[in-house]
Amino acid sequence: MTESSTSTRHEGHARHDRHAIALMGNPNTGKSSLFNALTGARQKIANFPGVTVEAKIGTTRFENSELTIIDLPGTYSLAARSPDERVATDALLGRIDGTPKPDGVVIVLDASSLDRNLYIGTQVLEFGLPAVVALTMLDVAESRGIKIDTEKLARTLGVPVVVVNAPKGVGIEELKSTLHRTLHHPGKRLELSYPDDFKRGVDTLHAELCDLGVKLGFTPTRPEALRLLVDGAGPFFDECEEVGGEEWTRKFFEIRDRAAAGRSLSMLEAQTRYGAIGHWMREVKQAEAREGRTRTDVVDGILTHKLWGSLVFIVVMGLIFQSIYSWSGPLMDAIDGGFGALGDWVGGMMGEGALKSLVVDGVIAGVGGVLIFLPQILILFLFIAILEDLGYMSRAAFLMDRLMSRFGLSGKAFIPLLSSFACNIPGIMGARVIEDRNTRLTTIFLAPFMSCSARLPVYTLFIAAFVPQMKLLGFLELQGVVLFAMYWVGVLFAIPTALVLKKGILKSKVTPFLLELPSYKMPRPRAVGRVLWERGGSFVRRAGTIILAVSVLVWAAGYFPRSAELDERYDAEIAAAEGAFSEVVVSFDPEADSESTLAQFKAIDDAHEERTSELEGEETEVETATAESDKQREAEIAELATKHPAAFTDYENWQKLEEQRSEIENRRAGEHLENSILGRMGHVIEPAVEPLGWDWRIGMAAIASFPAREVIVATLGTIFNLGGDQDEESQTLREVVQNATRPDGSKLFSLATGLSIMVFFALCAQCAATLAVMRRETNSWKWPIASFLYMTTLAYLAALVTFQVAHALGA
Amino acid sequence: MSSQTLDKLPVGASGTVLDVAGEPALQQRLLEMGVLPGVEIKVVRFAPLGDPMEIKVMGYSLSLRKAEAAHVTVERA
């Protein structure tokens, strides 16, 4: 039946011999490594609209034909309770736009648990597509005393069987040639012996579905009628109900009741399939009764042991968290520093103006803002890929399920949520290990509640500025306690959110936690590397563009409109300041005039600066080293000054002028910002943020930090005329924040304001990257928008309560 | 021999599945995973926090929650 379709469908292409092949089978069967062995690097991720799972598409060649391989998500059955589970059937039948209709299918079967693997095998074979069985893990099976007669298996199933070992490259060519042959001589449809009344029910329903076909937009097949009859629910059922109306639903349940005749149809299906499988296996499989434990049993005896298992788990989780949280630091600093230097370098070659600002502050800073997340993403996925490959991920879920199920989640949600404390983005991406759609969506929604490291600068600044240094109960540092509390704010709000989500919109009647604990395998470096490459690339390509766009947009809002009058006023002020100094002082440029005597003075100061800026260690040591360096500087300057007394005076004047210039420039930047769209937005929202204890400046900084939370620190630096290069540990910014006043002269910030800002930033969704990744992982804008609105509302209300209560208490 | 629900079986106990009940989606999942009448199963262990449990069925290890196992009736060997 498919022989003709292969040649007609690809008309218009020069090659007449092109085929699409679907790869199907259980999870943990070696399906992905087979796909990789077949397609090598020639693969891309297929986008399936409306679902959160993905498939990969790759190509391979055999003689002069080209095979497009579609690697469908691993699944135990074609029964579809959610849109995600429906994908396999839809893809198999070529009903997904942009994904070719398969001309044949490779059913991947794990020889070490062949019975269970054959369950979906029988389901797929009922579709009657040309099929080849790829039998994997034969070595594992043999080590357990299981012998499979592959010839008998092929005869029984009526399709060719090829033994493959993808990591070793065994059977790949044979699989291709067998596929090639099979596509031209399709096998026959598998017929299982269901009871007659059930078969009649399937036929009747199939006829009804065909009548509905016009409205559905496709002609349903008989195996789909069987699925629908048994499942009696799911996305396909909803679709039929929608186009068929009540009349159809009534008829459907009439047919179903008649076919069931009081039996459970699921039970009937399972018994028929496993009955046939059991029958075949008596011919095909020889299992030596082997006493003794397998290697996996022995390892599991430790890794899921009450004491040892829990200990290993804690160590592994600690390692993951520690690595994302702190080991990524140097890499992130390098990226940050690299893009800062790039910005300076490019900026140095461009004239002042909007274009320079766009390139440096918009584009380069934006690209840097995307790449800065890569180290954390790659480190997390390094662990996830190794643990997944090893088989430990399902054990971790086994250990944590009890705890997580209390919040309506599953054990698999633990690692994504833990990672979210370091950075929400890898956390959200890590949620893909959760098979159940609703649990996955809940986990993705909860991830931004975990206090990530980008919130830390906000906490650091305001805690240092407003929380007094004192001890609670004699040993607890109050500042530390507040910081600790900030980390719990998110968790505190995440728990009820999880419960509401799982009881409300993401309710599934039950989310069965049936989890296969696969046998342990050695992680394969190439497979791990591939995961890293895919995840990193997917983040940069798909989320990166959105993040970059948002960065540029916010840059523009903070830059425009640019008042020429304002610039003239400040230019005049600078000119006035320069008027007080001689020409030599005004025009001195340390880089251009590096040969001059003035530059020699500057070099001494630079050297001193360099010696002292990187000092670390004990406070007293730092002080001593600083004093020493200072002494050295004094001596060098004095020596040079005796030689060139006039130049020394010029140098001192130049320093004064530089100070004045930078003070004027900072004021200019501040006023530009106040004038900009962003500044005006700050004024507009001032009445709304007033009850939080904020003024327009803080409101504006909060808006400006939409691309990333930590931006608030730099924005506050600019608006308080310190320039944009402030960081959270800057002494001056801390002092300025402590001393900032409102127009009436009262203090702008207090402990209450500080707490309200921290609570707001703990709960808000101010991170374009998180929202972009959420969009990418859920394949819909619905989730990031819902997340942003929900979290912003929550953050606002919590900050409101925090400020009002703290204020009333006199903080 | 006595029949009881799977969640009540102690570690190391084995038996034959008599019936699989429960809400349709759960029942179907259990059946698909090979937990169906006539199949032999063995309780391997319980998780450190007491739930879920691990069983051996059809030659592989399956983890399920006790609340789910409660829908599986087993004839103890």
Side-chain angles (χ1 to χ4, degrees), chain A residues 342-351 356 360:
Chain A
L342 180 69
D344 289 346
W345 182 70
V346 172
M349 299 193 306
M350 298 175 74
K356 172 181 164 178
V360 175

Side-chain angles (χ1 to χ4, degrees), chain A residues 466 692 749-757 799 802-807 810-811:
Chain A
F466 299 107
L692 311 187
F749 292 94
S750 61
L751 176 58
T753 326
L755 287 175
S756 119
I757 295 173
T802 306
F803 177 75
Q804 295 300 339
V805 170
H807 193 64

